[in-house]
Amino acid sequence: MTVRGVPDDPDVQRAVPLRPAIELSKMYVLPDCHGAGVSAALMDAVVRYASAQHAACVWLGVNQQNRRAQRFYGKHGFEVAGTKTFHLGAEIEHDYVMVRPAGPAAVNASSRDVARRYFLRNPPASISSLNTVSNFAPDATTGMPAS
């Protein structure tokens, strides 16, 4: 789920200086689908959507204890830009605010990394070297390999 903009929270306002912004509020994938490229495809769709909406960046909050999610977001170009705290029931939660640029160049870099991981796991017979995979860069509009 995406949300247009940045909330009034001053911590988030400081961490997300680029406007307009799109928040990636929710993205869940069933455990049986972890490692199959589903999360990467969803992330690519979010960045493409943000680009189509002319957003300058995509941002999200991630629990400071959730190292797996932080690694995933880092692989997709997000960097820690600040922190935020909020109440969840009687508990106080602490999140990192992570931000990445939106736009065609950012989408291409993310897509290239996704494609590299996919082809390394499932190489087609026509790929004879790792260099071929590293040069794969899909078209920002169609997602198909650029010629």
Side-chain angles (χ1 to χ4, degrees):
M1 176 172 78
T2 60
V3 178
R4 181 181 285 274
V6 178
D8 291 336
D9 181 322
D11 292 334
V12 177
Q13 291 281 329
R14 280 189 297 276
V16 186
L18 299 174
R19 302 289 191 280
I22 298 278
E23 176 188 8
L24 173 54
S25 177
K26 308 275 186 294
M27 187 176 90
Y28 298 102
V29 174
L30 295 172
D32 289 348
C33 296
H34 289 182
V38 174
S39 297
L42 287 171
M43 182 60 72
D44 190 50
V46 167
V47 175
R48 286 176 189 276
Y49 170 77
S51 178
Q53 298 299 309
H54 305 289
C57 69
V58 179
W59 73 276
L60 56 86
V62 60
N63 188 288
Q64 291 180 6
Q65 305 304 312
N66 191 343
R67 304 284 187 238
R68 182 177 183 181
Q70 292 168 32
R71 282 190 305 274
F72 173 79
Y73 297 137
K75 288 178 185 177
H76 291 275
F78 285 86
E79 295 180 356
V80 174
T83 61
K84 68 175 183 166
T85 58
F86 59 95
H87 287 83
L88 185 61
E91 301 294 320
I92 296 178
E93 297 290 324
H94 303 277
D95 279 7
Y96 287 125
V97 176
M98 299 182 77
V99 181
R100 66 158 286 160
V107 171
N108 282 339
S110 175
S111 297
R112 185 175 51 248
D113 292 340
V114 170
R116 172 182 278 157
R117 285 194 303 277
Y118 175 80
F119 284 124
L120 287 175
R121 284 190 296 226
N122 308 293
S126 64
I127 292 183
S128 60
S129 73
L130 210 54
N131 188 37
T132 305
V133 175
S134 68
N135 291 328
F136 179 92
D139 178 79
T141 306
T142 66
M144 299 302 293
S147 33

